[in-house]
Amino acid sequence: MSLHARKIRMIMGLRRAGLTDTDVLNAIERIPRELFVLDSFHDQAYEDQALPISHGQTISQPQIVAMMTEALEVKKTHKVLEIGTGSGYQAAVLSRLCRRLYTIERYKSLLAEAEQRFHHLRLHNITSRCSDGSRGWREQAPFDRIIVTAAAAEVPQTLVDQLAVGGIMVIPVGPERGDQVLVKLTKQEDGSVSPKIITDVRFVPLVEGALPEGEGRPTPRRMEN
Ligand code: SAH
């Protein structure tokens, strides 16, 4: 079966699963997921499953990407922040739906690969940086929407602070390798948030603090004497 046929089958599967937002499905149809997975998983790019990328991270299952994107209720005027660029797939899908997409990744090399994909696909409304995303992106706040694609032990208050009033955040919450739930929060006038659980999920952890050391640089050679 051709990649195109597989993609159509995947979209039909998403519809059957109740994901019917036409704008979201169109955005998914327009982004070639095969460019975001490792070469060895090319054939599986349109199966509804999460796949490994480098550094032990994963590109999320298409159904979860669709569900999170739909829950975010993105509009063309929105400024959106994503934490956890990974392969860049979720960012690419979102970039078709919003005005500007900001994305943060802690692995320099993952970010560099994602940036190449954005460039190749001419997704010019994406701005990215390498840092600890749990601190958000203060210079660009407030954001109309925030999506976190790694599981947090609890919702980082810094991110709530950077969300506009009336804004929506979608974030997986729960322990590493434990029971995690996908939560949708809406920020109220008084700054508080009203959380709603969407579904059970399994995500890699949101790692706070120092960035992976030396990552992306060649391993230093041992001095010979
Ligand atoms: N959205 C991605 C999948 C994300 S996997 C995609 O579509 O492919 C989760 C990513 O979050 C990993 O790449 C991981 O390195 C990153 N991550 C984890 N903690 C982070 C943090 N504090 N700041 C930025 N990125 C983080």
Side-chain angles (χ1 to χ4, degrees):
M1 199 190 290
S2 71
L3 275 181
H4 180 70
R6 286 174 203 222
K7 183 192 268 187
I8 300 299
R9 187 180 62 178
M10 181 187 85
I11 303 274
M12 278 163 33
L14 296 178
R15 277 187 191 282
R16 269 199 306 279
L19 297 151
T20 52
D21 185 314
T22 320
D23 292 338
V24 173
L25 292 176
N26 284 345
I28 288 177
E29 195 174 340
R30 282 168 61 186
I31 301 298
R33 191 168 186 259
E34 68 273 20
L35 300 187
F36 292 81
V37 303
L38 298 173
D39 285 348
S40 48
F41 290 98
H42 223 253
D43 283 356
Q44 292 168 57
Y46 293 107
E47 300 300 322
D48 191 24
Q49 59 191 31
L51 292 171
I53 52 177
S54 25
H55 296 294
Q57 307 302 319
T58 49
I59 172 171
S60 309
Q61 183 190 349
Q63 195 171 317
I64 295 294
V65 172
M67 199 181 284
M68 291 177 86
T69 309
E70 210 172 286
L72 215 51
E73 298 176 32
V74 183
K75 296 200 172 64
K76 257 304 181 201
T77 52
H78 284 165
K79 187 172 173 180
V80 181
L81 174 66
E82 179 198 33
I83 312 301
T85 316
S87 69
Y89 180 70
Q90 173 75 76
V93 170
L94 282 169
S95 76
R96 302 294 75 200
L97 298 164
C98 67
R99 178 167 58 85
R100 186 150 279 281
L101 191 277
Y102 294 85
T103 184
I104 305 177
E105 170 57 52
R106 63 191 290 277
Y107 280 104
K108 230 189 286 177
S109 55
L110 278 178
L111 190 65
E113 286 175 33
E115 283 168 345
Q116 277 179 14
R117 296 178 180 120
F118 302 152
H119 183 74
H120 174 73
L121 295 170
R122 300 173 190 277
L123 305 174
H124 298 308
N125 63 337
I126 302 180
T127 310
S128 55
R129 83 169 189 199
C130 184
S131 65
D132 174 7
S134 62
R135 296 174 183 199
W137 196 320
R138 202 152 42 95
E139 302 81 355
Q140 293 297 341
F143 296 94
D144 301 298
R145 300 290 185 258
I146 298 180
I147 179 170
V148 182
T149 61
E154 50 190 80
V155 178
Q157 183 58 40
T158 317
L159 296 184
V160 175
D161 294 343
Q162 294 184 15
L163 188 62
V165 170
I168 295 174
M169 175 170 8
V170 174
I171 176 170
V173 180
E176 183 175 353
R177 293 196 195 88
D179 293 334
Q180 302 170 359
V181 285
L182 188 62
V183 176
K184 174 176 178 172
L185 314 163
T186 307
K187 185 162 169 181
Q188 311 298 317
E189 201 88 44
D190 64 1
S192 66
V193 287
S194 54
K196 200 183 117 199
I197 292 176
I198 302 178
T199 186
D200 294 341
V201 283
R202 178 151 298 200
F203 273 84
V204 295
L206 181 74
V207 182
E208 299 186 27
L211 298 180
E213 209 177 309
E215 192 274 318
R217 282 181 234 130
T219 322
R221 260 198 298 158
R222 211 151 46 89
M223 292 291 285
E224 305 285 351
N225 51 13

